[in-house]
Structures are given as C-alpha cells and as structure tokens.
Amino acid sequence: MYDGSRSLGWKEPPITYLQPTQLFYEFVRDGKIKIANKLKEPVTVQDPCSIVRNKGLGGMLRSVVKAACEDFRDVKPRFEHNFCCTAGSGVINYGPPWKFIRMEGGRTKIEQLHATGAKIVIAPCHSCHKTIEELIAYYKLDMHVMFISELLVQTMEIPEDMQVVKPEKSEE
Amino acid sequence: MIKMQRKTVTDQGFDETVKNLTPEKIEKTINYVLKKEAAARLKAYVETCVHCGLCNEACHFYLSYDRDPSYSPVSKVRQTLWDMMKKKGKVDAETLKMYARIGYTECNICRRCSMYCPFGIDMGYLMILVRRICGLLKVAPLYLQDQGYSHMYTYSQSWVAQDDWVDTVQFVEEEIRMDIKNARIPLDKEGAEIMYSPHSLEAKFKTNLLANIAKIMNVAKIDWTMPSFDGWDSTNQAMHVGDHETMGMVERMHFNAGFKLKVKKIVTSE
C-alpha cells in the first residue's frame, strides 16, 4: 500500500491493519497456536520487500520460523538489506512475454538462497512464493518453497476436541 | 553514453497502444504529471542526486546482469525521468515505449537502492512516476492492464465477482471440515476482532491458502470474519499500472468493508 491511505486523505490507515506474519507471531507468542511436530529439513526465509523493508517484520518472521523448524539457516544479506525476489510491484503478473526478466534478474536471489544450503524456503508473500518456485525450476535446484501459513498448518497441534475421527478408524 | 542492449519482446500492451498516441498527447501528459502531480518532491530528488553510483550495487538487476551499467538505478532514472525533463516532454512514441519498458519491467520498486543512497532518495517514487505517465497513456504490459480493468469491473484482481467469492468460501469451509471438526468461516460478522482480507488468487486457484488461514484461525479460536460483499479483495494492481484513480477506489472499498463490519483490525493476505 504505497502511500495508499495518505493519498485518500488519511494520515494513518483508519483501521489498524496487520500482516499475517505479525498475527502468526502473536499466536505463537501467546500460545494460541502450539507447535507439535517441528520441521526437520534445513529451512531458510525470504524477506519480502513489503513486509520486511516497508514494515520491519523480519524479526517476527524469523521467530515464527524458528519456533516451527529445527534447522534454521539465515540468509545473507538479510532483513531490510535483502534482495527482492524480482516479482515485486506487479512484475509477477506480466505473463509469458516477460517471464525471462524474472528468471534472469532473479539470479542474485536464487544464488543467495542456494548458498544457505537449505531445502525449504519460507515465503510469506504470494509473489515471492511463485517466483522463487519458478526460479528453482529454472535453475534446476533441489529446493521447495512454502508459505508461512502452510508451515504453521503442517506443524501446529490440533486440539483433541477439534480432531476429526477418520471413518476408517471408526469402522475398526 | 549508455548503450541499451535488450531482447525484443512483443507485448500488445506496448506495441498496439503506442499507435494511438500523438506527440501532443504525450507532451501534455508528461508535463501534467511532472508539473502538477510531482512538482516539489521530484525537484528535490533530481537536484539532490550527485550521481555517485552507490545505488548500483544495491540493485539485483544490476548484479544479475553482470554489472551492466544500463540496469543500475541511477541509469534507469536518467533514461526515463531526466530524459523527459531535458526534452520537456517532446518525445516520440518509440521513446515512450522504452520508458515504459524500463519503468514496468526493469525495476521492482523494492527500494533497496534507497537504503544505500547517501541522501535517501526514494527511487520507488521516481519509478512509480514513470509508470504513472505511461499508465495515463495506456502503455503498460497487457496482462497488468487487464488486471487493472478487472479492479474497475469486478472489484477484484482476477475477475472473481462477488457471487463467485461467496461460493468459494462455502466450498473451502466444507473442505476444511475434513481436518478440523465443526470449523467455520464466518462471513459478515459485525464487531469481530479481525477481518481477514484475502488475496484475489485465494478465491480463484489457490484456495488452499484460504483454507490454511481458516484452519489457523479456527485452531487459535479467534473472533474473525470476512466480508461477503465487494471490498473483500486486498490486492491492488491498479497501483502498479499507474492508475491512481482506481487505486484510490480499491483502497477506499477495502477500508469501507472494515467500517461496515465494525472490525477492530484488518489482516491483509501478505
């Protein structure tokens, strides 16, 4: 939201708005979400420009990832000095004619992620997710991208009263 | 003189639209944006830049293309805005196409370069200004323009109308009940703690992401809701096209949904 609410005459956004990263951080911190089975593979993160450079949530992102993963490997450069994924500001939406610009321009990004030796990249942003997945395929690397919400869903503990009894089990 | 070496790319959004432009129209638009919309801020940035080139190393395009100087941030501004100002808006359609290509495809407006600029010049603003000029003249990548028009017509990024959106939510709700007992996706709940504004893709072909959020909200036992009416989509592609009028409308609809439901916080999708 570049100057969004300001261009409409509001000095600050009229309703507080949060990024999901911050929300998930609060959930994990307050114990609303409990992590049951941590990820074992080496994991790294992508700092999206909109969340980390513009809103400064890099620390919260890492704290969620560290809570849910056993082997966390940080990128370099990181936080607000991180490289863009080459899909920002709508470049992701330009379609097939412009795919090459993301693949060629993203070389710095993918080299940086590859240097960490991680197998999973946690990306909290839709554009970053799609482009890094495409970059991995383009440069033929053995990596995989995961959303931060996907990570939480895979690792969180579902309380007993919410668990669904699978039909196969009930028949036994 | 910097030599531009670029692949030829066919994009109807660039090639067809420039045919409708006249030199007078281009001159009028450039001068309108530079003098009426950008005046003081632009002048301050242009007069402060000392061409030191510290921003070069910050740009991922510059690094990825083996330090090709034509991809450096200062060179991108020089080839677009400074060129327009030097020629006082008197440029032909082919030059405009080059401006558009630099402004739209060779900068991600990530603002990393601003962090390395000794004066903190906001490059993002300058490139958005180039997009604003090209967007007003309708010279932009076709796919991006299409999404801008989708915002005007369906109030969402990817041509998902309001009735389709409600349908998707019902479908997702049914699906998450396979994993979480009696899970709910409450729509239009007044006075809720949190309003979640999804990405348009979550209503079209990435519904698993909406399911993820719904699962987390249910497990965390949060008082949350989503609007069933227009304004549910948190994305804003009109901003990237340079269409600030539609951008304002989208933004206002987004906050209006929050006002209407009297929520305390809005959570966007990314």
Side-chain angles (χ1 to χ4, degrees):
Chain A
M1 290 192 194
Y2 197 81
D3 279 357
S5 42
R6 254 176 287 167
S7 70
L8 291 175
W10 285 302
K11 196 176 172 192
E12 298 288 331
I15 303 177
T16 343
Y17 75 92
L18 308 176
Q19 260 70 19
T21 308
Q22 189 177 347
L23 192 74
F24 297 155
Y25 165 75
E26 285 170 9
F27 286 174
V28 173
R29 184 194 61 191
D30 301 344
K32 286 180 178 167
I33 296 271
K34 290 185 184 67
I35 306 293
N37 40 341
K38 285 189 171 190
L39 274 196
K40 297 206 169 47
E41 289 106 326
V43 165
T44 187
V45 286
Q46 151 70 355
D47 292 305
C49 312
S50 58
I51 299 167
V52 174
R53 216 187 321 275
N54 289 359
K55 292 213 80 174
L57 305 183
M60 293 186 186
L61 172 65
R62 278 169 180 74
S63 116
V64 174
V65 173
K66 276 179 193 162
C69 304
E70 278 177 4
D71 185 1
F72 172 67
R73 302 179 183 183
D74 219 335
V75 284
K76 199 182 169 196
R78 58 189 194 143
F79 290 127
E80 66 270 28
H81 296 286
N82 195 35
F83 290 113
C84 172
C85 64
T86 346
S89 77
V91 177
I92 185 83
N93 296 323
Y94 292 176
W98 297 104
K99 193 189 167 185
F100 79 93
I101 201 118
R102 283 190 284 132
M103 297 299 111
E104 289 171 4
R107 209 184 74 203
T108 322
K109 175 84 250 170
I110 201 72
E111 278 171 1
Q112 176 206 19
L113 291 175
H114 188 54
T116 61
K119 292 278 173 249
I120 294 179
V121 185
I122 306 292
C125 162
H126 294 69
S127 313
C128 298
H129 181 278
K130 192 180 165 202
T131 290
I132 296 173
E133 197 74 83
E134 283 178 346
L135 278 171
I136 289 169
Y138 186 84
Y139 290 97
K140 299 190 179 63
L141 300 176
D142 177 27
M143 283 162 108
H144 175 58
V145 193
M146 235 174 149
F147 267 103
I148 188 164
S149 59
E150 205 179 331
L151 170 73
L152 275 189
V153 167
Q154 278 196 19
T155 56
M156 76 183 172
E157 176 193 86
I158 297 174
E160 256 176 43
D161 58 323
M162 284 185 171
Q163 280 174 8
V164 179
V165 184
K166 297 275 191 270
E168 303 93 69
K169 279 184 186 169
S170 58
E171 278 167 20
E172 279 169 11
Chain B
M1 190 65 198
I2 301 162
K3 248 195 181 163
M4 285 265 286
Q5 281 180 328
R6 298 288 189 270
K7 280 182 196 168
T8 325
V9 179
T10 337
D11 188 317
Q12 288 174 5
F14 288 157
D15 304 334
E16 297 297 321
T17 46
V18 287
K19 288 179 188 161
N20 306 328
L21 298 177
T22 56
E24 295 80 43
K25 201 175 169 190
I26 296 175
E27 192 185 341
K28 205 180 145 195
T29 314
I30 291 180
N31 287 328
Y32 165 72
V33 174
L34 293 188
K35 288 187 180 145
K36 294 274 164 65
E37 287 192 0
R41 197 172 172 185
L42 175 66
K43 202 174 175 199
Y45 286 156
V46 169
E47 288 183 0
T48 322
C49 180
V50 292
H51 318 19
C52 63
L54 279 175
C55 50
N56 292 359
E57 299 286 325
C59 183
H60 53 274
F61 277 114
Y62 177 80
L63 295 175
S64 295
Y65 281 101
D66 299 323
R67 295 166 199 269
D68 179 347
S70 69
Y71 283 98
S72 79
V74 63
S75 139
K76 286 176 213 167
V77 179
R78 175 188 165 149
Q79 290 171 84
T80 54
L81 275 180
W82 293 356
D83 196 39
M84 283 178 213
M85 284 172 8
K86 210 164 76 188
K87 292 176 181 165
K88 297 200 165 58
K90 289 188 182 63
V91 296
D92 57 2
E94 279 306 305
T95 321
L96 191 87
K97 214 164 103 178
M98 192 196 77
Y99 295 159
R101 179 157 179 180
I102 294 172
Y104 282 106
T105 69
E106 285 167 16
C107 175
N108 287 115
I109 318 195
C110 70
R111 295 161 97 204
R112 191 171 189 260
C113 42
S114 305
M115 304 199 47
Y116 293 84
C117 175
F119 306 101
I121 293 174
D122 189 352
M123 295 287 187
Y125 174 74
L126 297 176
M127 291 323 266
I128 278 192
L129 215 57
V130 177
R131 288 186 178 201
R132 170 70 173 155
I133 291 167
C134 300
L136 279 177
L137 294 165
K138 305 264 182 295
V139 182
L142 185 72
Y143 281 57
L144 189 66
Q145 286 195 40
D146 171 73
Q147 293 180 338
Y149 294 136
S150 167
H151 273 301
M152 294 178 194
Y153 190 75
T154 58
Y155 310 115
S156 74
Q157 180 200 318
S158 46
W159 301 97
V160 180
Q162 184 263 341
D163 47 353
D164 295 339
W165 157 239
V166 179
D167 205 41
T168 306
V169 172
Q170 288 172 341
F171 168 77
V172 170
E173 185 177 53
E174 216 164 280
E175 206 160 63
I176 58 170
R177 282 177 171 225
M178 305 226 198
D179 293 327
I180 292 169
K181 206 170 158 185
N182 296 334
R184 285 283 287 145
I185 301 186
L187 286 179
D188 291 349
K189 187 176 170 192
E190 248 182 52
E193 190 83 23
I194 283 169
M195 179 181 99
Y196 178 66
S197 278
H199 193 288
S200 188
L201 296 179
E202 291 173 18
K204 203 169 185 179
F205 30 68
K206 286 229 174 194
T207 47
N208 58 329
L209 298 178
L210 187 61
N212 285 346
I213 291 283
K215 281 179 194 169
I216 292 171
M217 293 288 197
N218 272 290
V219 168
K221 297 194 174 64
I222 294 298
D223 179 22
W224 71 298
T225 187
M226 288 193 287
S228 72
F229 43 88
D230 287 328
W232 56 269
D233 185 358
S234 69
T235 56
N236 198 343
Q237 293 301 321
M239 169 174 79
H240 301 318
V241 193
D243 182 355
H244 293 186
E245 289 76 17
T246 313
M247 174 190 98
M249 183 201 74
V250 172
E251 182 97 16
R252 190 176 285 121
M253 284 185 78
H254 188 210
F255 282 122
N256 275 351
F259 288 138
K260 210 168 162 183
L261 295 177
K262 303 187 180 71
V263 291
K264 296 197 180 70
K265 287 174 198 161
I266 296 178
V267 175
T268 54
S269 59
E270 56 185 42

